[in-house]
Amino acid sequence: MFHHFFGFVYLSAVSQLVSRTGTQAECPVQLNPQRVVVRYNGSVEVNCSTLITHKGMGWEAIEGAVPMTRDKIMITWRVSHLTEWDIEPFCYINHEEQCQVQLPVTIYKTPDSVSISIVDHRGPMIEGRQYELQCDVHDVAPVQYLTVKWYKGQTLLNQNTFTEDSKTPVNETATLLIRPDRADDGAQYSCEAELELGAEGPQPPPKRTSGSLNNELYYKPKHSSSTETIIKNDEVTLNCTVKANPAPTYTWHSEHLKEEISSSVLQSSTLSPGNYTCTATNSLGSESKVFIIKSTG
């Protein structure tokens, strides 16, 4: 009766171990941790333990193998400088027969460099035209955990992920289409490479950011309104100043003007009531605005 009871306790303990290990259901060993994420050339340490009496257990691995031992219930796989990208260590145990449990190992490497550029374009960008930005990420692993994030200033514009399954470092390229307008004058674009390695990985996720792309933007003059009415008093100011790049030139036309004026502002107490047309022009185009001066009477 005692032997039957002992057997029940023994099987119950193994069953509980199996239920806790999930994928280790066929092999009565426990890995702690059950998955590791380690930087290339970094250190790693994982315990393999059992609750049962065995005939020997050990670790098989390209680096850090542990010879079989019969007198321990826990053995440790330990590597101080892990450099084998394809390493697949497993803990084995000899009981009724030999079984093994593989340890999932993710070795990562942050990029050597991250850079941003405009594809097939030099010089200033033009408002309203489409451009392709390119982010080059050099020597990163594993690429399937890489996310490239695009920023305009501090604003996240988009992000790219990758489906390739590679353990060793690769060079990767991501692209983004933009169509800048005058509100983007002076905007700084950048891209960021981030390795999202899961809960077992470093927190926060390791990342590297490109420098800022400070590309000049050209846009034509654009007035906020096409006409403006001014009631004449002692001093009249007509302000035609408009934002544009390259900087615009100005011309004025009116039957009341006797000479050519190139200033963006007319300020005089002698301007007569009537219409005054100002045209702002740069290399991308021109736009006019009409100032209507009315007398107080």
Side-chain angles (χ1 to χ4, degrees):
M1 178 71 70
F2 174 80
H3 290 293
H4 286 294
F5 177 76
F6 177 82
F8 173 79
V9 172
Y10 165 77
L11 291 174
S12 178
V14 173
S15 175
Q16 290 174 13
L17 175 65
V18 165
S19 67
R20 289 198 300 271
T21 57
T23 59
Q24 302 167 21
E26 307 256 333
C27 198
V29 295
Q30 173 77 44
L31 302 185
N32 185 26
Q34 295 185 13
R35 172 180 179 254
V36 294
V37 177
V38 57
R39 180 187 286 271
Y40 179 77
N41 205 33
S43 63
V44 61
E45 186 173 302
V46 178
N47 293 325
C48 177
S49 58
T50 186
L51 295 178
I52 70 171
T53 302
H54 60 84
K55 299 175 183 178
M57 61 189 300
W59 278 97
E60 282 292 336
I62 305 173
E63 291 183 279
V66 179
M68 186 181 72
T69 179
R70 291 192 174 102
D71 59 354
K72 294 182 180 179
I73 60 171
M74 186 180 76
I75 54 176
T76 303
W77 176 63
R78 185 182 291 110
V79 180
S80 56
H81 299 283
L82 190 59
T83 58
E84 290 290 339
W85 294 101
D86 295 323
I87 197 164
E88 295 180 344
F90 61 86
C91 178
Y92 65 89
I93 187 170
N94 292 322
H95 176 43
E96 294 176 353
E97 59 183 22
Q98 187 178 95
C99 65
Q100 63 190 48
V101 175
Q102 184 172 314
L103 172 70
V105 177
T106 300
I107 302 177
Y108 72 93
K109 179 185 178 301
T110 55
D112 286 343
S113 65
V114 179
S115 60
I116 187 172
S117 60
I118 307 177
V119 178
D120 297 330
H121 178 78
R122 291 183 178 181
M125 292 189 287
I126 308 298
E127 178 185 29
R129 295 185 186 177
Q130 182 173 273
Y131 298 92
E132 185 178 29
L133 302 185
Q134 178 171 305
C135 186
D136 292 303
V137 183
H138 295 280
D139 216 28
V140 63
V143 69
Q144 58 267 33
Y145 294 101
L146 174 66
T147 299
V148 171
K149 298 181 178 181
W150 295 92
Y151 290 91
K152 182 173 67 175
Q154 300 299 315
T155 302
L156 178 64
L157 298 177
N158 200 6
Q159 56 187 41
N160 304 102
T161 56
F162 304 88
T163 57
E164 299 96 319
D165 188 2
S166 173
K167 292 184 177 181
T168 57
V170 297
N171 297 330
E172 196 57 75
T173 297
T175 59
L176 176 70
L177 295 177
I178 61 170
R179 195 182 297 272
D181 61 28
R182 63 189 57 226
D184 298 319
D185 187 22
Q188 296 184 334
Y189 295 91
S190 63
C191 61
E192 180 181 80
E194 180 176 272
L195 284 172
E196 300 177 341
L197 296 158
E200 298 86 355
Q203 302 297 329
K207 61 185 68 175
R208 184 159 187 170
T209 305
S210 71
S212 296
L213 180 66
N214 303 305
N215 208 71
E216 191 175 10
L217 178 66
Y218 277 4
Y219 49 97
K220 71 177 187 177
K222 185 177 181 180
H223 293 286
S224 58
S225 63
S226 59
T227 61
E228 182 177 338
T229 300
I230 298 172
I231 304 301
K232 180 176 171 57
N233 51 28
D234 289 340
E235 190 72 24
V236 175
T237 300
L238 309 183
N239 191 342
C240 186
T241 305
V242 67
K243 190 176 180 182
N245 193 23
T249 59
Y250 299 90
T251 56
W252 291 86
H253 299 280
S254 174
E255 61 181 9
H256 304 294
L257 295 176
K258 306 304 182 185
E259 58 184 23
E260 188 174 303
I261 299 173
S262 59
S263 171
S264 63
V265 177
L266 285 183
Q267 186 168 341
S268 174
S269 59
T270 62
L271 291 178
S272 302
N275 292 355
Y276 296 80
T277 301
C278 170
T279 301
T281 304
N282 70 4
S283 58
L284 299 181
S286 61
E287 186 166 276
S288 297
K289 179 175 182 176
V290 178
F291 294 86
I292 304 170
I293 298 180
K294 293 185 176 181
S295 62
T296 55

